[in-house]
Amino acid sequence: MARRRGDNEGVEFSEADVTLERPKNREHGDWATNVALRLAKPLATNPRELATEIAEAAATLPGVSSAEVAGPGFINLRLDAAAAGQLAKTIVDAGDAWGRNTTQAGRAINLEFVSANPTGPLHIGHTRWAALGDSIARVLKASGAEVASEYYINDAGAQMDKFGASVLAAAKGEPTPEGGYPGQYIADLAAHVLEQVPNLLELPADEALAAAREVAYAQQLSEIKQSLANFNVTFDVYFSERTLHAVNPETGTSAIDDAVAELRKLGHVFDADDAVWVRTTDFGDDKDRVIRRSNEIYTYFAADAAYYLSKSERGFEHKIYLLGADHHGYVHRLKALAGAAGDDPEKDIEVLIGQLVSVNGARLSKRAGNIIEMDDLIEWLGTDALRYSLGRYPADSPLALDPNQLRSRTNDNPVFYVQYAHARICSVTRNAQAAGVDTSVFEPGLLVHETESALLGALQEFPRVVAHAAELREPHRVARYLEEVAGLYHRWYDNCRVIPQGEEPVEDVHRTRLTLNLAVGQTIRNGLDLLGVSAPEKM
């Protein structure tokens, strides 16, 4: 703790009262703080006078070249080159840990996304949710949170029987049944089922349907997982809806039964019209929800309730759902469910709605016929281009991608621009080593060029950008930041040589710049990893 002298001896403040930010205009210095504005009132003094006093003291600190008062009491600080340049070695020493922070430490978060029905291939909408969800998980983990990325498998209910019937019909050479699933992929699944169950068509009707459904389901889910792996997306948990319906032999009840009993115990379940209801209107829902119909069959809401409660039982106090644009109606429902479960709907649950995405010129799947498949997009445009482009925009913004731009090797293609910067960094490193430049000497005071000051200023921001992206669930901030760093690097490359020219000797400035070169590479590499994008060493 620190105290200001004089008449304010009893007023205390700590480091938490001091906030430092990078000025948007670099001409205003390296750092800015409003500490004088925050402390003037408790200290009963004029903020500008307090700012002047603080600035005078700050100007005497090692590494501070100047401290100036601006406006009503802001303080702009400038670091000398040696202090500013020390960051380069800090980054290199930190390696893969650079950018990681603790702003989300202590939080146990369940993040659910994609969760497509296992009755068909993943499509273009799932591609966007996969890119966003995985990147959100990465920035949250990088900020210290304990995160479980989860895929909810809707493998119970009527759609699974329709799926099985469609596969069985294809195996028999019959038309798709009414309300069933068409497409070549169904025929492919039928061929797979016949390979696994050669006597399929000889089985009784109910056994044949069950076999077709289960074998095709396992194969389709395997293909979904492979598509996600090809997209550099992995899930910590694949949660089967069937487990919610399964009866525990010891208790004679299912997880859904237990969930209804728990909600009733909490006072939010009531009986009316021979049905069982949850009073979700108490928590902002537009109407109360039926959880069990008069025929004693549970509704989808019952499974939603059991699933939500299972997340709490598994130790996740915070739940994030990333849903598609057609799920707006779920927002109030899920938040009301959180309230009925005893949680804070404004604190313990987030429902993020992603908007639609389109790719100009994309063709419908030859296998599915009525969708644009994730696998086709990956083959056409590449994982890196897709992941970066889909992660470059907020989830709530409709998005149309230009395939010509994504496939181009020009600076107009943002992912190429950033990846090329990394490849150039690696080339500079290789050439420097061949020319005898190493990192045996690091003199940060030699990094005096204006492009070096600008580059170091941007590198300093990386942990804050990651923390902000995690806090707001907006990984696109990392992408935009990387583009800024890439631009500053290219300008530095044009002005400051790491490798001596001609017969010039290797000097300490070259060795020091090599460390800065490596620091930029580490930052770009770490940032691309948060987006699930590779950092090529050659292009």
Side-chain angles (χ1 to χ4, degrees), residues 350-373:
E350 291 178 66
V351 184
L352 308 178
I353 299 295
Q355 291 301 314
L356 299 176
V357 60
S358 62
V359 180
N360 298 330
R363 298 179 180 179
L364 295 178
S365 165
K366 292 181 180 179
R367 296 194 312 137
N370 60 346
I371 63 171
I372 300 171
E373 275 194 60

Side-chain angles (χ1 to χ4, degrees), residues 421-468:
H422 186 266
R424 171 175 271 186
I425 289 165
C426 294
S427 175
V428 168
T429 301
R430 291 191 297 269
N431 293 335
Q433 292 171 344
V437 181
D438 57 29
T439 57
S440 59
V441 175
F442 180 68
E443 292 290 346
L446 298 174
L447 301 175
V448 295
H449 195 276
E450 62 181 3
T451 60
E452 291 170 329
S453 175
L455 188 53
L456 287 163
L459 295 180
Q460 180 72 48
E461 287 288 273
F462 186 51
R464 185 192 64 80
V465 170
V466 176
H468 207 196

Side-chain angles (χ1 to χ4, degrees), residues 125-409:
H126 302 133
T127 306
R128 186 176 195 185
W129 318 147
L132 285 171
D134 186 63
S135 293
I136 290 172
R138 290 172 185 245
V139 296
L140 283 169
K141 290 176 182 177
S143 298
E146 175 191 340
V147 182
S149 57
E150 188 155 310
Y151 187 116
Y152 182 68
I153 310 170
N154 297 96
D155 53 4
Q159 84 274 4
M160 292 301 296
D161 288 332
K162 291 180 180 179
F163 173 65
S166 301
V167 173
L168 183 59
K172 293 178 177 180
E174 298 175 353
T176 302
E178 185 177 355
Y181 295 87
Q184 179 60 40
Y185 83 95
I186 291 292
D188 295 341
L189 288 172
H192 173 76
V193 172
L194 286 170
E195 287 181 5
Q196 300 298 311
V197 189
N199 66 334
L200 176 73
L201 303 184
E202 302 169 9
L203 296 174
D206 57 343
E207 292 183 25
L209 175 61
R213 181 186 63 225
E214 295 309 304
V215 176
Y217 159 51
Q219 178 63 19
Q220 186 58 64
L221 182 60
S222 175
E223 292 180 10
I224 286 173
K225 291 180 179 180
Q226 186 58 56
S227 297
L228 291 166
N230 293 341
F231 201 47
N232 202 15
V233 175
T234 58
F235 282 89
D236 299 306
V237 178
Y238 281 88
F239 190 100
S240 167
E241 182 186 352
R242 292 180 177 183
T243 62
L244 300 175
H245 296 267
V247 175
N248 184 332
E250 296 182 1
T251 64
T253 60
S254 68
I256 293 179
D257 295 327
D258 296 341
V260 175
E262 178 64 20
L263 293 177
R264 188 183 290 275
K265 179 180 176 182
L266 292 170
H268 304 300
V269 170
F270 66 97
D271 303 305
D273 301 325
D274 296 324
V276 180
W277 301 68
V278 179
R279 192 174 288 102
T280 53
T281 52
D282 287 349
F283 304 97
D285 201 1
D286 57 347
K287 62 181 179 180
D288 293 329
R289 301 286 172 178
V290 175
I291 201 165
R292 193 174 68 184
R293 301 185 182 94
S294 57
N295 60 7
E296 298 190 351
I297 295 177
Y298 284 119
T299 64
Y300 284 117
F301 185 69
D304 290 340
Y307 182 43
Y308 182 88
L309 289 174
S310 83
K311 295 183 178 185
S312 296
E313 292 167 0
R314 285 180 280 147
F316 299 105
E317 77 274 11
H318 194 78
K319 300 92 174 169
I320 302 176
Y321 292 76
L322 178 57
L323 304 179
D326 57 342
H327 285 70
H328 276 284
Y330 279 76
V331 177
H332 290 306
R333 191 181 315 175
L334 287 171
K335 283 187 171 291
L337 179 56
D343 291 341
D344 184 343
E346 301 306 318
K347 176 184 175 185
D348 298 326
I349 183 172
E350 291 178 66
V351 184
L352 308 178
I353 299 295
Q355 291 301 314
L356 299 176
V357 60
S358 62
V359 180
N360 298 330
R363 298 179 180 179
L364 295 178
S365 165
K366 292 181 180 179
R367 296 194 312 137
N370 60 346
I371 63 171
I372 300 171
E373 275 194 60
M374 173 188 281
D375 288 342
D376 292 340
L377 288 172
I378 293 174
E379 182 179 357
W380 182 28
L381 301 175
T383 292
D384 282 349
L386 274 172
R387 289 236 21 188
Y388 189 93
S389 300
L390 293 171
R392 190 172 179 262
Y393 296 91
D396 59 359
S397 63
L399 180 57
L401 299 180
D402 181 355
N404 293 326
Q405 182 187 67
L406 298 187
R407 291 163 59 89
S408 70
R409 296 174 63 85

Side-chain angles (χ1 to χ4, degrees), residues 32-34 36-37 48 51 68-76:
T33 178
N34 64 348
L37 294 171
R48 188 171 177 87
E68 302 171 350
V69 178
F74 294 100
I75 303 171
N76 294 328

